[in-house]
Amino acid sequence: MEASSIFRPFVGLLLALATVACGSATTKKPTTVEEFIAQIDQLNGQTVMVTGYLSECEALSCMLYRNKEESDDVDRAMSDMRAALEEGATDVSGIPLPDHPSISIGPGSQFSFFDLRAYFYANGYVVITGEATNQCRSEGAGCFDRVGDLKPISVRSAPAPS
């Protein structure tokens, strides 16, 4: 029996699987930050694509905003709070924190290295694919330490909104 005849079925199977994989690739348009928040209960547990402006991902914070301006507003407020604390303030509750719609991005699985990948896309427009979770948006829920609305799987660059 020829070696090529042994491998033909495997090559055929691989081609079939590749065709199915390409054919089933999602062409769905990514949802916006606002749309994601409005539909979070219906999207809970589903894999979704969300587009927005990614600020820097830090140990306890990684946020996706509608646009750069809103991200900058929050960054300025946080900078003002840090400066006040460094000057000895014990109460920074008088410094207003903008209430822009945003999505908290979780750290991803321990094997996804999301923060490392996100580092290259920080301070830019992205599409993040991940699992939606409404656990932090449920009434009475309080989440800290980067428990996110979106458990990320992948990130890629996206054009700025027009």
Side-chain angles (χ1 to χ4, degrees), residues 52-129:
Y53 186 85
L54 182 66
S55 61
E56 291 185 24
C57 291
E58 300 174 12
L60 301 177
S61 175
C62 187
M63 303 298 288
L64 190 65
Y65 295 93
R66 292 185 295 187
N67 55 54
K68 180 181 183 336
E69 293 76 23
E70 291 179 357
S71 175
D72 289 348
D73 285 348
V74 173
D75 287 347
R76 273 190 296 279
M78 294 301 290
S79 181
D80 291 347
M81 286 182 193
R82 281 192 286 278
L85 290 169
E86 287 174 6
E87 292 174 6
T90 57
D91 181 8
V92 293
S93 62
I95 299 174
L97 188 60
D99 189 24
H100 299 304
S102 60
I103 298 171
S104 177
I105 308 299
S109 73
Q110 70 185 60
F111 302 107
S112 74
F113 302 108
F114 179 78
D115 286 3
L116 179 61
R117 289 185 292 157
Y119 172 82
F120 297 100
Y121 299 97
N123 298 313
Y125 289 92
V126 298
V127 173
I128 297 177
T129 301

Side-chain angles (χ1 to χ4, degrees), residues 1 28 36 39 43-44 54 95-96 104 106 112-113 116 125 142 146 154:
M1 185 180 236
K28 184 178 172 187
F36 178 85
Q39 300 171 19
L43 297 173
N44 189 43
L54 182 66
I95 299 174
S104 177
S112 74
F113 302 108
L116 179 61
Y125 289 92
R146 197 144 166 215
S154 67

